[in-house]
Structures are given as structure tokens and as C-alpha cells.
Amino acid sequence: KNQWCPSAKINVYKLFIRSQMEYGMQINLYQSSEIKSFERTQQLALRIAYGVAWNTSKNALKRLSCLESMSCRNKLLNARFVRSLKQKDFLPAAKLYYLKLRKRGSLSYDWKFKNCIA
């Protein structure tokens, strides 16, 4: 906890913890209730990495570490996945994914990232 510099801790978080949390985010847009647990885990990791108090601003920690919120990351990964499916229309997985979206009624996406940090 005290021997590594904060940037090394953030890199370890990005490589090992966040990659595990992002597994499957490409194919599923999570609800806000589900994203909250991911956000809490990310905030805990950032607070430990920087060694700051619990009342430190969440946005300040995200900006300092150059990380997006998990809801924004979920939308970005999903958008990349949908774009790759559109480029490969011949795949059976693409057809199944589009059928799933039609059932949910969410085939039209609004990619305005209101909660993303620039």
C-alpha cells in the first residue's frame, strides 16, 4: 500500500481489477443500479491508490487518474461492439445481437455521453 507510487497503483488497477469488471460489458448495457457497484469499487481503488480521505470528490479522483465513469465506459465498450458487428454483418452473432436489441426496444442508440468526463 505504501511502497508503490500512485501511478503504478492505477496501472495495476486498470490491468487487473478493471479488466475483470469490464468483462461482458461489450454486449450488455447495465442498468444504473448495477453500475453503482462498479462505481463503488472504482472509487475504493482510487482512494486507496492516492491515499486520500473518504470525502474527496469522486470527479477529482477520476480526472486525476484519467479514468471514465463505469457507466460511460459501459456505453463506450458497447458502442465499439455494435460498430464491429455492423462491419461484420455476415456473423450469426450479429444477427442474434440485433434480435435481442429489437426485443428490448433499444435498437436506436443515443450516444450523448452526459456523464462522461472529458
Side-chain angles (χ1 to χ4, degrees):
K1 180 178 175 180
N2 296 326
Q3 296 176 357
W4 291 3
C5 64
S7 62
K9 292 177 190 177
I10 295 298
N11 285 338
V12 168
Y13 165 73
K14 286 180 184 178
L15 288 172
F16 297 108
I17 299 169
R18 191 167 181 175
S19 63
Q20 292 294 317
M21 290 192 311
E22 290 176 351
Y23 183 76
M25 276 192 178
Q26 293 87 356
I27 59 171
N28 191 11
L29 281 174
Y30 289 105
Q31 302 294 325
S32 62
S33 59
E34 298 167 324
I35 292 287
K36 285 182 182 179
S37 63
F38 294 131
E39 291 285 348
R40 279 190 231 122
T41 305
Q42 179 167 299
Q43 290 304 315
L44 176 65
L46 292 176
R47 285 188 175 117
I48 289 172
Y50 289 111
V52 296
W54 293 102
N55 58 358
T56 305
S57 169
K58 295 176 185 178
N59 288 333
L61 288 173
K62 287 179 199 170
R63 288 178 190 259
L64 187 62
S65 59
C66 298
L67 290 173
E68 309 95 356
S69 66
M70 292 304 287
S71 63
C72 180
R73 186 72 176 153
N74 183 215
K75 291 175 185 176
L76 286 170
L77 291 172
N78 194 268
R80 287 181 191 160
F81 179 69
V82 169
R83 189 182 83 219
S84 71
L85 286 180
K86 286 184 179 179
Q87 293 172 352
K88 302 172 186 172
D89 285 335
F90 60 89
L91 293 176
K95 293 177 184 177
L96 289 173
Y97 186 73
Y98 285 126
L99 288 174
K100 178 184 172 188
L101 288 178
R102 283 193 195 121
K103 285 182 183 178
R104 289 177 54 192
S106 61
L107 191 56
S108 62
Y109 285 102
D110 181 18
W111 297 113
K112 295 177 184 174
F113 298 113
K114 296 175 185 173
N115 298 327
C116 295
I117 296 174

